């Protein structure tokens, strides 16, 4: 019997895709739901990771479409996010295929916890930064070199594994830009989408994939991504920040186990 062969297994993967799609467009820890399910139904880790990346592409499409009004508010930032995450995802996908998973195993949970801390303290840090540079500079609505660099690193991580990459992108954009959190959430969803597309193209070319699992994830995630966007744009900023921190901490704890 091959993986994802029984009806309960197919329903589990379909449900994981739906939940992952919602999380893609809200708190950004989709792979923490879908990846363990793929392992549980019998897929090898590298096959599960690559199949998960390809299967969640529709979540990014529907989620980004759901946030299209927010993405139009800062088109220059949106295009910068697209380019940095695309370039980074190529490097991340190459790392996944070339290196053992243990390479980042000890670092990733602590990195996620650190970014959770940044998301939590972002309002205070932003105010401190504004006091240092002076109010006459005006709001930061374009990505500077430092923000662009860390967005690129987040793209690398997203292409390699991705669990918690949305949390990281919220931290990077929240600290580097003075824009509404609803727009940061939209940009984060776009970043996840671009990373999955680029890494997915690499995996389709050179990696082993389980196409049944991909189809089931895709079917669930395309619905979940749009639903998540409808929910995400209505979340109050404080609640959104709390949910991102909680989701990131849960992701880090699960990865530490």
């Amino acid at each position: 019997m091959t993986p994802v062969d029984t009806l309960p297994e197919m329903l589990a993967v379909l449900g994981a895709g739906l939940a992952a799609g919602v999380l893609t467009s809200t708190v950004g820890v989709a792979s923490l739901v879908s990846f363990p399910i793929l392992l549980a139904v019998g897929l090898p880790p590298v096959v599960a990771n690559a199949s998960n990346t390809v299967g969640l592409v529709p979540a990014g499409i529907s989620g980004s479409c759901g946030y299209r009004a927010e993405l139009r508010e800062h088109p220059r930032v949106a295009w910068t996010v697209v380019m940095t995450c695309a370039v980074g995802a190529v490097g991340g996908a190459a790392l996944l295929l070339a290196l053992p998973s243990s390479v980042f195993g000890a670092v990733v949970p602590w990195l996620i916890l650190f970014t959770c801390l940044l998301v939590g303290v972002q309002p205070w840090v932003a105010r401190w930064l504004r006091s240092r540079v002076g109010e006459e500079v005006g709001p930061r609505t374009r990505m500077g070199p430092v923000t662009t660099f860390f967005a690129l690193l987040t793209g690398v991580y997203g292409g390699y594994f991705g669990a918690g990459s949305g949390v990281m992108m919220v931290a990077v954009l929240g600290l580097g830009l003075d824009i509404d959190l609803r727009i940061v959430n939209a940009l984060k969803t776009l970043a996840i989408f671009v990373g999955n597309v680029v890494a997915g193209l690499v995996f389709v070319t050179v990696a082993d994939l389980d196409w049944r699992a991909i189809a089931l994830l895709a079917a669930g995630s395309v619905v979940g991504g749009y639903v998540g966007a409808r929910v995400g744009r209505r979340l109050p900023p404080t609640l959104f920040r709390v949910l991102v921190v909680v989701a990131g901490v849960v992701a880090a704890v699960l990865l530490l186990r």
Side-chain angles (χ1 to χ4, degrees):
M1 183 178 295
T2 60
V4 200
D5 195 47
T6 66
L7 181 60
E9 289 174 341
M10 289 189 286
L11 291 176
V13 175
L14 181 66
L18 177 63
V22 172
L23 292 174
T24 294
S25 300
T26 51
V27 295
V29 290
S31 293
L32 262 294
V33 173
S34 51
F35 180 67
I37 293 296
L38 295 182
L39 293 179
V41 299
L43 269 65
V46 174
V47 175
N49 199 357
S51 300
N52 181 67
T53 297
V54 177
L56 293 185
V57 167
I61 297 174
S62 58
S64 297
C65 288
Y67 281 123
R68 58 189 179 276
E70 285 78 6
L71 294 174
R72 291 194 190 107
E73 293 190 36
H74 293 281
R76 185 184 295 270
V77 175
W79 277 111
T80 304
V81 166
V82 167
M83 296 305 297
T84 54
C85 289
V87 173
V90 173
L95 288 176
L96 176 66
L97 298 174
L99 299 176
S101 59
S102 59
V103 172
F104 289 150
V107 178
V108 166
W110 300 107
L111 180 60
I112 294 175
L113 285 175
F114 177 67
T115 55
C116 286
L117 174 64
L118 292 180
V119 171
V121 303
Q122 184 267 330
W124 294 275
V125 174
R127 281 197 293 268
W128 178 80
L129 290 173
R130 295 294 302 158
S131 69
R132 298 284 292 180
V133 301
E135 293 295 332
E136 67 277 2
V137 175
R140 298 167 299 162
T141 58
R142 295 186 181 183
M143 292 172 63
V146 175
T147 304
T148 302
F149 173 73
F150 281 103
L152 176 66
L153 291 184
T154 303
V156 172
Y157 174 71
Y160 179 81
F161 181 51
S165 63
V167 177
M168 297 178 189
M169 188 58 75
V170 169
V172 169
L173 297 178
L175 289 171
L177 298 169
D178 298 319
I179 58 179
D180 292 343
L181 266 181
R182 62 182 175 82
I183 301 175
V184 169
N185 197 9
L187 292 167
K188 173 267 297 175
T189 303
L190 178 65
I192 293 174
F193 165 56
V194 172
N196 283 346
V197 167
V198 174
L201 289 174
V202 175
F203 296 150
V204 167
T205 304
V206 299
D208 292 329
L209 299 169
D210 188 302
W211 287 102
R212 181 175 295 177
I214 289 171
L216 291 167
L217 280 178
S221 70
V222 71
V223 176
Y226 189 77
V227 171
R230 304 279 290 184
V231 173
R233 64 153 50 98
R234 289 173 171 79
L235 288 175
T238 300
L239 177 59
F240 171 67
R241 187 174 284 108
V242 169
L243 291 175
V244 169
V245 171
V246 171
V249 170
V250 171
V253 170
L254 290 175
L255 289 172
L256 281 169
R257 294 177 62 183

